[in-house]
Amino acid sequence: MTTTEADTALGNVVEIHNPADGSVVGTVPEMSADQVAELAARLREAQPAWEALTPQARAQHLRNWLNWIVDNQERIFGLVHREAGKSWGDAQIELLVCMEVINYYTKHGAEFLADESRTPHTPASLTKNLRIRYRPYQLVGVITPWNYPVGMPMMDIPGALMAGAAVLSKPSEVTPLAWAEIVRGWNEEIGAPPVLACATGRGDTGRAVVDVVDMVQFTGSTATGRRIGMRCAERLIPASLELGGKDAMIVLSDAPMERTIRGAIWGGLFNAGQSCIAVERLYVEASVYDEFVDRLVAEVKTLRQGHDPQGGFSTEFGAMATESQLEIVERHVADALAKGARVLTGGKRADKGLFYPPTVLVDVDHTMACMREETFGPLLPIMKVRDEHEAISLANDSDYGLGASVWTASKDRGERVGMRLEAGGVDVNNVLMHVFQFPLPMGGWKSSGLGYRFGGPNGIRKYCRQQAFVTERVHLDNETHWYPYSLTKGRITAAVLRLMEMHDWRRRLGLAPRKRR
Ligand code: NAD
């Protein structure tokens, strides 16, 4: 994926800046709809041979890819570090995602793709062998956001490739460099078939991807997801949508305090709060509210923010990825302050670079944007609640329903409260954790999504069409319901049908119904 001189001359390039210091990290072509269509045609040409490989052979290519990524991690994750302005520690998590997802799907691919036998439901079909076969969509489009430039596409693409589909990926225009390099690795370094491509560009390129694929896996904002869902409906192709969130954290009176505070900090501030499943609002029972807030604020003040050097691990988290994302955070803080909230730490952007400090807000309520809209930044707005009932009702008072967490020493309370939350994933005494359990589904409820990522077999089968496959156990020259019809055949068929399908002897034997008195 290189920018050609022609692209540059025509101005068809996207320049990528490090948000920590504004430096140029690289450029990628802004691909037109024609270029996207060309990529799609090449992928479609290569796909049948890919599907014809055994799952084990496909798995081997994916493992070779993982080896190559690990061998080149300094270069690849150096790009992530710079294009997203992350801390080095935050960038490393994305390598973990590559390892975990590729290993999970390569280990289970053959099992998840195996035909499934079914028993015929009626004796009339006992001469048939019934199977469900999983046949991939030929071309899957995977469109991703900027918050995890490698982690996001890596969550979906191994499953789609294992299914036997070809994949046209479209990384965010804000952070396309590391992903484009990983796709280059697939195509140029490991001898894999050309069934993976990268379309770079802005929203129009994404639109062009949606127009040429057979299924879309999208991760991004609710607004874009809705537009993509509508276009997919027009094209009659499926879309799986992983969208925005406003995850609630409920701290009950018996919460293990040290762990809860550390969980709140990591869950809310990891990756500068730019995670769909970040803790975005906290509800704390009144009896522990003061202790929780005091200790949390003291701990937040010790965090180091900045763009540490590559390999440094010397700051916790880095910059916001874009100016517009930072402006959302500023707007939410200003709105909260105007409506009576207080900032206990942070609350003002840094003078240089797109840095916003970790910020704790109290005296917040549901009239404020910081409690209702997705912030996607390092804010921890905390609300005092009377009891668990109030916490549940406030947590559910949201358009979003991606994830939530409950903190308590009581197993019963964790179960009881968790069961009442309107969210696709619930962690008890943990944060973000349900997302990395690949045997479980990950999906947003309400405006947070449509469909599920992962979920054991579903993580591969969602990229497949189910084929009902019927074969004959015995050879018959004719079937009773085929032509020609005759009176004798008709009577026999009706008698046999009645005998097999009816539930009382009178009807089974075709006797006249009893007269009603
Ligand atoms: P975005 O919706 O602006 O963009 C996402 C991708 O869609 C980009 O690659 C963009 O170029 C492309 N795009 C834009 N318009 C398009 C169109 N009309 N057709 C096709 N593609 C189009 O999102 P963003 O700002 O990059 O990312 C932040 C959002 O992502 C947040 O809302 C966050 O919650 C969400 N997110 C969700 C999850 C999840 O799993 N639920 C994970 C990470 C991020």
Side-chain angles (χ1 to χ4, degrees), residues 97-137:
V97 175
C98 300
M99 293 171 170
E100 292 267 295
V101 179
I102 290 177
N103 285 335
Y104 181 73
Y105 286 120
T106 53
K107 181 174 172 195
H108 295 286
E111 167 200 338
F112 293 165
L113 287 165
D115 292 356
E116 284 180 43
S117 293
R118 291 287 187 269
T119 310
H121 89 285
T122 153
S125 292
L126 282 176
T127 56
K128 325 282 175 225
N129 243 322
L130 310 187
R131 272 173 298 159
I132 302 171
R133 312 194 87 171
Y134 292 95
R135 297 277 316 281
Y137 290 101

mmCIF file of all heavy atoms in Angstrom, residues 97-137:
data_model
loop_
_atom_site.group_PDB
_atom_site.id
_atom_site.type_symbol
_atom_site.label_atom_id
_atom_site.label_comp_id
_atom_site.label_asym_id
_atom_site.label_seq_id
_atom_site.Cartn_x
_atom_site.Cartn_y
_atom_site.Cartn_z
ATOM 1 N N VAL A 97 -4.016 -8.648 20.856
ATOM 2 C CA VAL A 97 -5.249 -8.973 20.119
ATOM 3 C C VAL A 97 -4.909 -9.852 18.912
ATOM 4 O O VAL A 97 -5.577 -10.863 18.644
ATOM 5 C CB VAL A 97 -5.992 -7.688 19.673
ATOM 6 C CG1 VAL A 97 -7.195 -8.020 18.797
ATOM 7 C CG2 VAL A 97 -6.430 -6.877 20.881
ATOM 8 N N CYS A 98 -3.831 -9.499 18.178
ATOM 9 C CA CYS A 98 -3.437 -10.312 17.005
ATOM 10 C C CYS A 98 -3.198 -11.754 17.431
ATOM 11 O O CYS A 98 -3.682 -12.696 16.788
ATOM 12 C CB CYS A 98 -2.136 -9.790 16.381
ATOM 13 S SG CYS A 98 -2.224 -8.097 15.812
ATOM 14 N N MET A 99 -2.460 -11.928 18.500
ATOM 15 C CA MET A 99 -2.115 -13.282 18.939
ATOM 16 C C MET A 99 -3.366 -14.061 19.347
ATOM 17 O O MET A 99 -3.591 -15.182 18.913
ATOM 18 C CB MET A 99 -1.162 -13.217 20.136
ATOM 19 C CG MET A 99 0.200 -12.665 19.791
ATOM 20 S SD MET A 99 1.115 -12.406 21.322
ATOM 21 C CE MET A 99 2.745 -12.065 20.660
ATOM 22 N N GLU A 100 -4.161 -13.422 20.194
ATOM 23 C CA GLU A 100 -5.305 -14.127 20.763
ATOM 24 C C GLU A 100 -6.330 -14.508 19.697
ATOM 25 O O GLU A 100 -6.820 -15.629 19.666
ATOM 26 C CB GLU A 100 -5.986 -13.233 21.804
ATOM 27 C CG GLU A 100 -5.145 -13.002 23.031
ATOM 28 C CD GLU A 100 -5.474 -14.011 24.109
ATOM 29 O OE1 GLU A 100 -6.595 -13.972 24.598
ATOM 30 O OE2 GLU A 100 -4.603 -14.832 24.431
ATOM 31 N N VAL A 101 -6.661 -13.556 18.822
ATOM 32 C CA VAL A 101 -7.728 -13.820 17.856
ATOM 33 C C VAL A 101 -7.260 -14.848 16.814
ATOM 34 O O VAL A 101 -7.978 -15.808 16.503
ATOM 35 C CB VAL A 101 -8.216 -12.524 17.169
ATOM 36 C CG1 VAL A 101 -9.298 -12.830 16.152
ATOM 37 C CG2 VAL A 101 -8.747 -11.545 18.197
ATOM 38 N N ILE A 102 -6.059 -14.662 16.302
ATOM 39 C CA ILE A 102 -5.580 -15.608 15.279
ATOM 40 C C ILE A 102 -5.466 -17.006 15.886
ATOM 41 O O ILE A 102 -5.889 -18.005 15.283
ATOM 42 C CB ILE A 102 -4.238 -15.133 14.671
ATOM 43 C CG1 ILE A 102 -4.481 -13.888 13.815
ATOM 44 C CG2 ILE A 102 -3.591 -16.239 13.841
ATOM 45 C CD1 ILE A 102 -3.251 -13.264 13.196
ATOM 46 N N ASN A 103 -4.940 -17.105 17.097
ATOM 47 C CA ASN A 103 -4.808 -18.436 17.704
ATOM 48 C C ASN A 103 -6.166 -19.076 17.979
ATOM 49 O O ASN A 103 -6.341 -20.279 17.803
ATOM 50 C CB ASN A 103 -3.979 -18.367 18.988
ATOM 51 C CG ASN A 103 -2.504 -18.201 18.660
ATOM 52 O OD1 ASN A 103 -2.058 -18.583 17.572
ATOM 53 N ND2 ASN A 103 -1.747 -17.638 19.572
ATOM 54 N N TYR A 104 -7.123 -18.281 18.402
ATOM 55 C CA TYR A 104 -8.449 -18.851 18.693
ATOM 56 C C TYR A 104 -9.099 -19.416 17.426
ATOM 57 O O TYR A 104 -9.553 -20.556 17.398
ATOM 58 C CB TYR A 104 -9.357 -17.784 19.326
ATOM 59 C CG TYR A 104 -10.726 -18.318 19.665
ATOM 60 C CD1 TYR A 104 -10.902 -19.180 20.730
ATOM 61 C CD2 TYR A 104 -11.838 -17.978 18.899
ATOM 62 C CE1 TYR A 104 -12.160 -19.703 21.037
ATOM 63 C CE2 TYR A 104 -13.096 -18.489 19.199
ATOM 64 C CZ TYR A 104 -13.247 -19.348 20.273
ATOM 65 O OH TYR A 104 -14.486 -19.857 20.564
ATOM 66 N N TYR A 105 -9.126 -18.616 16.369
ATOM 67 C CA TYR A 105 -9.847 -19.073 15.175
ATOM 68 C C TYR A 105 -9.079 -20.143 14.401
ATOM 69 O O TYR A 105 -9.690 -21.005 13.767
ATOM 70 C CB TYR A 105 -10.234 -17.892 14.285
ATOM 71 C CG TYR A 105 -11.372 -17.117 14.906
ATOM 72 C CD1 TYR A 105 -11.242 -15.790 15.250
ATOM 73 C CD2 TYR A 105 -12.573 -17.759 15.193
ATOM 74 C CE1 TYR A 105 -12.272 -15.099 15.858
ATOM 75 C CE2 TYR A 105 -13.606 -17.081 15.806
ATOM 76 C CZ TYR A 105 -13.455 -15.749 16.137
ATOM 77 O OH TYR A 105 -14.486 -15.082 16.747
ATOM 78 N N THR A 106 -7.752 -20.094 14.436
ATOM 79 C CA THR A 106 -7.028 -21.158 13.734
ATOM 80 C C THR A 106 -7.172 -22.480 14.501
ATOM 81 O O THR A 106 -7.249 -23.539 13.906
ATOM 82 C CB THR A 106 -5.543 -20.806 13.532
ATOM 83 O OG1 THR A 106 -4.970 -20.445 14.789
ATOM 84 C CG2 THR A 106 -5.378 -19.654 12.557
ATOM 85 N N LYS A 107 -7.255 -22.392 15.822
ATOM 86 C CA LYS A 107 -7.427 -23.616 16.613
ATOM 87 C C LYS A 107 -8.811 -24.241 16.388
ATOM 88 O O LYS A 107 -8.949 -25.448 16.299
ATOM 89 C CB LYS A 107 -7.236 -23.266 18.101
ATOM 90 C CG LYS A 107 -7.355 -24.441 19.033
ATOM 91 C CD LYS A 107 -7.018 -24.023 20.447
ATOM 92 C CE LYS A 107 -7.328 -25.162 21.408
ATOM 93 N NZ LYS A 107 -7.354 -24.713 22.791
ATOM 94 N N HIS A 108 -9.836 -23.400 16.312
ATOM 95 C CA HIS A 108 -11.209 -23.933 16.271
ATOM 96 C C HIS A 108 -11.847 -23.902 14.887
ATOM 97 O O HIS A 108 -12.995 -24.323 14.736
ATOM 98 C CB HIS A 108 -12.093 -23.134 17.233
ATOM 99 C CG HIS A 108 -11.709 -23.294 18.665
ATOM 100 N ND1 HIS A 108 -11.965 -24.439 19.383
ATOM 101 C CD2 HIS A 108 -11.054 -22.466 19.508
ATOM 102 C CE1 HIS A 108 -11.497 -24.309 20.617
ATOM 103 N NE2 HIS A 108 -10.937 -23.117 20.712
ATOM 104 N N GLY A 109 -11.135 -23.381 13.886
ATOM 105 C CA GLY A 109 -11.758 -23.168 12.581
ATOM 106 C C GLY A 109 -12.400 -24.421 12.005
ATOM 107 O O GLY A 109 -13.571 -24.407 11.595
ATOM 108 N N ALA A 110 -11.661 -25.524 11.976
ATOM 109 C CA ALA A 110 -12.184 -26.746 11.337
ATOM 110 C C ALA A 110 -13.449 -27.204 12.063
ATOM 111 O O ALA A 110 -14.457 -27.567 11.436
ATOM 112 C CB ALA A 110 -11.116 -27.830 11.357
ATOM 113 N N GLU A 111 -13.418 -27.128 13.381
ATOM 114 C CA GLU A 111 -14.578 -27.558 14.191
ATOM 115 C C GLU A 111 -15.790 -26.653 13.909
ATOM 116 O O GLU A 111 -16.905 -27.131 13.687
ATOM 117 C CB GLU A 111 -14.125 -27.466 15.651
ATOM 118 C CG GLU A 111 -15.156 -27.563 16.722
ATOM 119 C CD GLU A 111 -14.598 -26.965 18.043
ATOM 120 O OE1 GLU A 111 -13.360 -26.873 18.228
ATOM 121 O OE2 GLU A 111 -15.440 -26.565 18.876
ATOM 122 N N PHE A 112 -15.578 -25.346 13.863
ATOM 123 C CA PHE A 112 -16.701 -24.421 13.679
ATOM 124 C C PHE A 112 -17.286 -24.490 12.260
ATOM 125 O O PHE A 112 -18.430 -24.112 12.042
ATOM 126 C CB PHE A 112 -16.267 -22.980 13.967
ATOM 127 C CG PHE A 112 -15.914 -22.719 15.411
ATOM 128 C CD1 PHE A 112 -15.223 -21.571 15.771
ATOM 129 C CD2 PHE A 112 -16.278 -23.606 16.409
ATOM 130 C CE1 PHE A 112 -14.899 -21.312 17.096
ATOM 131 C CE2 PHE A 112 -15.953 -23.369 17.739
ATOM 132 C CZ PHE A 112 -15.256 -22.214 18.087
ATOM 133 N N LEU A 113 -16.459 -24.942 11.307
ATOM 134 C CA LEU A 113 -16.931 -24.959 9.919
ATOM 135 C C LEU A 113 -17.462 -26.324 9.494
ATOM 136 O O LEU A 113 -17.958 -26.479 8.380
ATOM 137 C CB LEU A 113 -15.791 -24.554 8.977
ATOM 138 C CG LEU A 113 -15.436 -23.066 9.010
ATOM 139 C CD1 LEU A 113 -14.090 -22.823 8.358
ATOM 140 C CD2 LEU A 113 -16.522 -22.248 8.323
ATOM 141 N N ALA A 114 -17.334 -27.304 10.390
ATOM 142 C CA ALA A 114 -17.760 -28.665 10.011
ATOM 143 C C ALA A 114 -19.265 -28.687 9.720
ATOM 144 O O ALA A 114 -20.046 -27.961 10.341
ATOM 145 C CB ALA A 114 -17.425 -29.619 11.147
ATOM 146 N N ASP A 115 -19.642 -29.552 8.773
ATOM 147 C CA ASP A 115 -21.072 -29.730 8.490
ATOM 148 C C ASP A 115 -21.784 -30.175 9.775
ATOM 149 O O ASP A 115 -21.206 -30.883 10.590
ATOM 150 C CB ASP A 115 -21.273 -30.854 7.463
ATOM 151 C CG ASP A 115 -20.745 -30.461 6.101
ATOM 152 O OD1 ASP A 115 -20.309 -29.314 5.928
ATOM 153 O OD2 ASP A 115 -20.783 -31.335 5.203
ATOM 154 N N GLU A 116 -23.050 -29.794 9.898
ATOM 155 C CA GLU A 116 -23.840 -30.262 11.046
ATOM 156 C C GLU A 116 -24.948 -31.152 10.540
ATOM 157 O O GLU A 116 -25.690 -30.776 9.634
ATOM 158 C CB GLU A 116 -24.478 -29.076 11.759
ATOM 159 C CG GLU A 116 -23.512 -28.299 12.594
ATOM 160 C CD GLU A 116 -24.210 -27.142 13.285
ATOM 161 O OE1 GLU A 116 -25.326 -27.318 13.812
ATOM 162 O OE2 GLU A 116 -23.642 -26.041 13.252
ATOM 163 N N SER A 117 -25.071 -32.353 11.111
ATOM 164 C CA SER A 117 -26.142 -33.270 10.705
ATOM 165 C C SER A 117 -27.408 -32.953 11.488
ATOM 166 O O SER A 117 -27.338 -32.532 12.636
ATOM 167 C CB SER A 117 -25.743 -34.710 11.021
ATOM 168 O OG SER A 117 -24.675 -35.060 10.201
ATOM 169 N N ARG A 118 -28.543 -33.177 10.853
ATOM 170 C CA ARG A 118 -29.836 -33.015 11.523
ATOM 171 C C ARG A 118 -30.688 -34.254 11.254
ATOM 172 O O ARG A 118 -30.608 -34.831 10.164
ATOM 173 C CB ARG A 118 -30.574 -31.779 10.992
ATOM 174 C CG ARG A 118 -29.937 -30.463 11.390
ATOM 175 C CD ARG A 118 -30.181 -30.181 12.878
ATOM 176 N NE ARG A 118 -29.724 -28.852 13.234
ATOM 177 C CZ ARG A 118 -28.504 -28.554 13.681
ATOM 178 N NH1 ARG A 118 -27.608 -29.518 13.813
ATOM 179 N NH2 ARG A 118 -28.180 -27.318 14.001
ATOM 180 N N THR A 119 -31.510 -34.616 12.219
ATOM 181 C CA THR A 119 -32.414 -35.753 12.024
ATOM 182 C C THR A 119 -33.681 -35.235 11.339
ATOM 183 O O THR A 119 -34.214 -34.201 11.754
ATOM 184 C CB THR A 119 -32.818 -36.326 13.402
ATOM 185 O OG1 THR A 119 -31.619 -36.509 14.144
ATOM 186 C CG2 THR A 119 -33.559 -37.636 13.260
ATOM 187 N N PRO A 120 -34.157 -35.968 10.320
ATOM 188 C CA PRO A 120 -35.406 -35.516 9.681
ATOM 189 C C PRO A 120 -36.535 -35.471 10.704
ATOM 190 O O PRO A 120 -36.576 -36.311 11.603
ATOM 191 C CB PRO A 120 -35.677 -36.603 8.628
ATOM 192 C CG PRO A 120 -34.384 -37.288 8.427
ATOM 193 C CD PRO A 120 -33.619 -37.172 9.701
ATOM 194 N N HIS A 121 -37.445 -34.523 10.573
ATOM 195 C CA HIS A 121 -38.479 -34.400 11.600
ATOM 196 C C HIS A 121 -39.663 -35.307 11.332
ATOM 197 O O HIS A 121 -40.499 -35.504 12.182
ATOM 198 C CB HIS A 121 -38.918 -32.940 11.764
ATOM 199 C CG HIS A 121 -40.036 -32.536 10.861
ATOM 200 N ND1 HIS A 121 -39.832 -32.299 9.529
ATOM 201 C CD2 HIS A 121 -41.350 -32.329 11.100
ATOM 202 C CE1 HIS A 121 -40.989 -31.968 8.982
ATOM 203 N NE2 HIS A 121 -41.909 -31.980 9.905
ATOM 204 N N THR A 122 -39.744 -35.857 10.134
ATOM 205 C CA THR A 122 -40.873 -36.734 9.843
ATOM 206 C C THR A 122 -40.369 -38.053 9.265
ATOM 207 O O THR A 122 -39.377 -38.071 8.517
ATOM 208 C CB THR A 122 -41.856 -36.059 8.852
ATOM 209 O OG1 THR A 122 -42.542 -37.076 8.130
ATOM 210 C CG2 THR A 122 -41.127 -35.223 7.829
ATOM 211 N N PRO A 123 -41.064 -39.146 9.584
ATOM 212 C CA PRO A 123 -40.633 -40.450 9.061
ATOM 213 C C PRO A 123 -40.579 -40.462 7.535
ATOM 214 O O PRO A 123 -39.791 -41.181 6.937
ATOM 215 C CB PRO A 123 -41.705 -41.405 9.572
ATOM 216 C CG PRO A 123 -42.308 -40.729 10.742
ATOM 217 C CD PRO A 123 -42.202 -39.261 10.510
ATOM 218 N N ALA A 124 -41.412 -39.609 6.894
ATOM 219 C CA ALA A 124 -41.418 -39.580 5.431
ATOM 220 C C ALA A 124 -40.060 -39.164 4.863
ATOM 221 O O ALA A 124 -39.747 -39.442 3.706
ATOM 222 C CB ALA A 124 -42.496 -38.616 4.938
ATOM 223 N N SER A 125 -39.238 -38.520 5.682
ATOM 224 C CA SER A 125 -37.928 -38.065 5.194
ATOM 225 C C SER A 125 -36.776 -38.921 5.718
ATOM 226 O O SER A 125 -35.618 -38.530 5.603
ATOM 227 C CB SER A 125 -37.703 -36.606 5.602
ATOM 228 O OG SER A 125 -38.589 -35.770 4.906
ATOM 229 N N LEU A 126 -37.125 -40.064 6.291
ATOM 230 C CA LEU A 126 -36.052 -40.888 6.857
ATOM 231 C C LEU A 126 -35.063 -41.395 5.811
ATOM 232 O O LEU A 126 -33.955 -41.812 6.145
ATOM 233 C CB LEU A 126 -36.650 -42.069 7.631
ATOM 234 C CG LEU A 126 -37.174 -41.690 9.023
ATOM 235 C CD1 LEU A 126 -37.840 -42.863 9.709
ATOM 236 C CD2 LEU A 126 -36.065 -41.111 9.892
ATOM 237 N N THR A 127 -35.474 -41.330 4.557
ATOM 238 C CA THR A 127 -34.553 -41.783 3.496
ATOM 239 C C THR A 127 -33.556 -40.684 3.114
ATOM 240 O O THR A 127 -32.797 -40.846 2.175
ATOM 241 C CB THR A 127 -35.351 -42.175 2.245
ATOM 242 O OG1 THR A 127 -36.137 -41.052 1.869
ATOM 243 C CG2 THR A 127 -36.234 -43.376 2.497
ATOM 244 N N LYS A 128 -33.599 -39.555 3.830
ATOM 245 C CA LYS A 128 -32.714 -38.428 3.472
ATOM 246 C C LYS A 128 -31.625 -38.238 4.529
ATOM 247 O O LYS A 128 -31.847 -38.481 5.709
ATOM 248 C CB LYS A 128 -33.487 -37.094 3.388
ATOM 249 C CG LYS A 128 -34.893 -37.165 2.866
ATOM 250 C CD LYS A 128 -34.943 -37.299 1.373
ATOM 251 C CE LYS A 128 -36.366 -37.493 0.882
ATOM 252 N NZ LYS A 128 -36.488 -38.560 -0.131
ATOM 253 N N ASN A 129 -30.513 -37.758 4.044
ATOM 254 C CA ASN A 129 -29.432 -37.304 4.921
ATOM 255 C C ASN A 129 -29.496 -35.788 4.971
ATOM 256 O O ASN A 129 -29.446 -35.136 3.920
ATOM 257 C CB ASN A 129 -28.091 -37.661 4.267
ATOM 258 C CG ASN A 129 -27.326 -38.632 5.109
ATOM 259 O OD1 ASN A 129 -27.347 -38.538 6.327
ATOM 260 N ND2 ASN A 129 -26.649 -39.553 4.447
ATOM 261 N N LEU A 130 -29.614 -35.194 6.136
ATOM 262 C CA LEU A 130 -29.735 -33.733 6.209
ATOM 263 C C LEU A 130 -28.480 -33.129 6.841
ATOM 264 O O LEU A 130 -28.033 -33.571 7.895
ATOM 265 C CB LEU A 130 -30.932 -33.333 7.085
ATOM 266 C CG LEU A 130 -32.278 -33.981 6.824
ATOM 267 C CD1 LEU A 130 -33.348 -33.308 7.677
ATOM 268 C CD2 LEU A 130 -32.657 -33.876 5.348
ATOM 269 N N ARG A 131 -27.969 -32.097 6.191
ATOM 270 C CA ARG A 131 -26.808 -31.401 6.751
ATOM 271 C C ARG A 131 -26.942 -29.890 6.579
ATOM 272 O O ARG A 131 -27.541 -29.433 5.606
ATOM 273 C CB ARG A 131 -25.523 -31.840 6.034
ATOM 274 C CG ARG A 131 -24.882 -33.068 6.646
ATOM 275 C CD ARG A 131 -23.744 -33.543 5.802
ATOM 276 N NE ARG A 131 -24.195 -33.946 4.480
ATOM 277 C CZ ARG A 131 -23.393 -34.024 3.415
ATOM 278 N NH1 ARG A 131 -22.122 -33.680 3.517
ATOM 279 N NH2 ARG A 131 -23.862 -34.430 2.252
ATOM 280 N N ILE A 132 -26.358 -29.164 7.513
ATOM 281 C CA ILE A 132 -26.180 -27.724 7.317
ATOM 282 C C ILE A 132 -24.717 -27.538 6.933
ATOM 283 O O ILE A 132 -23.821 -28.007 7.638
ATOM 284 C CB ILE A 132 -26.447 -26.933 8.613
ATOM 285 C CG1 ILE A 132 -27.858 -27.195 9.122
ATOM 286 C CG2 ILE A 132 -26.212 -25.438 8.391
ATOM 287 C CD1 ILE A 132 -28.120 -26.624 10.512
ATOM 288 N N ARG A 133 -24.492 -26.888 5.825
ATOM 289 C CA ARG A 133 -23.116 -26.614 5.413
ATOM 290 C C ARG A 133 -22.862 -25.110 5.501
ATOM 291 O O ARG A 133 -23.761 -24.313 5.241
ATOM 292 C CB ARG A 133 -22.861 -27.100 3.984
ATOM 293 C CG ARG A 133 -23.350 -28.506 3.769
ATOM 294 C CD ARG A 133 -22.813 -29.093 2.500
ATOM 295 N NE ARG A 133 -21.511 -29.696 2.756
ATOM 296 C CZ ARG A 133 -20.867 -30.445 1.863
ATOM 297 N NH1 ARG A 133 -21.378 -30.644 0.664
ATOM 298 N NH2 ARG A 133 -19.704 -30.981 2.156
ATOM 299 N N TYR A 134 -21.664 -24.755 5.869
ATOM 300 C CA TYR A 134 -21.316 -23.343 6.022
ATOM 301 C C TYR A 134 -20.448 -22.919 4.849
ATOM 302 O O TYR A 134 -19.324 -23.368 4.710
ATOM 303 C CB TYR A 134 -20.614 -23.121 7.367
ATOM 304 C CG TYR A 134 -21.574 -23.341 8.498
ATOM 305 C CD1 TYR A 134 -21.654 -24.571 9.148
ATOM 306 C CD2 TYR A 134 -22.468 -22.337 8.865
ATOM 307 C CE1 TYR A 134 -22.582 -24.783 10.154
ATOM 308 C CE2 TYR A 134 -23.401 -22.552 9.867
ATOM 309 C CZ TYR A 134 -23.447 -23.773 10.505
ATOM 310 O OH TYR A 134 -24.382 -23.978 11.492
ATOM 311 N N ARG A 135 -21.017 -22.085 4.011
ATOM 312 C CA ARG A 135 -20.316 -21.612 2.805
ATOM 313 C C ARG A 135 -20.104 -20.106 2.925
ATOM 314 O O ARG A 135 -21.051 -19.366 3.162
ATOM 315 C CB ARG A 135 -21.165 -21.913 1.568
ATOM 316 C CG ARG A 135 -21.425 -23.402 1.303
ATOM 317 C CD ARG A 135 -20.245 -24.028 0.570
ATOM 318 N NE ARG A 135 -19.770 -23.165 -0.508
ATOM 319 C CZ ARG A 135 -20.363 -23.055 -1.717
ATOM 320 N NH1 ARG A 135 -21.437 -23.754 -1.996
ATOM 321 N NH2 ARG A 135 -19.861 -22.250 -2.628
ATOM 322 N N PRO A 136 -18.876 -19.656 2.784
ATOM 323 C CA PRO A 136 -18.593 -18.240 3.063
ATOM 324 C C PRO A 136 -19.257 -17.285 2.062
ATOM 325 O O PRO A 136 -19.490 -17.645 0.910
ATOM 326 C CB PRO A 136 -17.075 -18.164 2.902
ATOM 327 C CG PRO A 136 -16.732 -19.283 1.981
ATOM 328 C CD PRO A 136 -17.705 -20.393 2.292
ATOM 329 N N TYR A 137 -19.535 -16.082 2.522
ATOM 330 C CA TYR A 137 -19.779 -15.004 1.564
ATOM 331 C C TYR A 137 -18.492 -14.867 0.773
ATOM 332 O O TYR A 137 -17.397 -15.001 1.329
ATOM 333 C CB TYR A 137 -20.079 -13.692 2.286
ATOM 334 C CG TYR A 137 -21.411 -13.721 2.979
ATOM 335 C CD1 TYR A 137 -21.503 -13.940 4.351
ATOM 336 C CD2 TYR A 137 -22.582 -13.550 2.250
ATOM 337 C CE1 TYR A 137 -22.733 -13.997 4.979
ATOM 338 C CE2 TYR A 137 -23.815 -13.606 2.875
ATOM 339 C CZ TYR A 137 -23.883 -13.827 4.237
ATOM 340 O OH TYR A 137 -25.107 -13.887 4.841
#
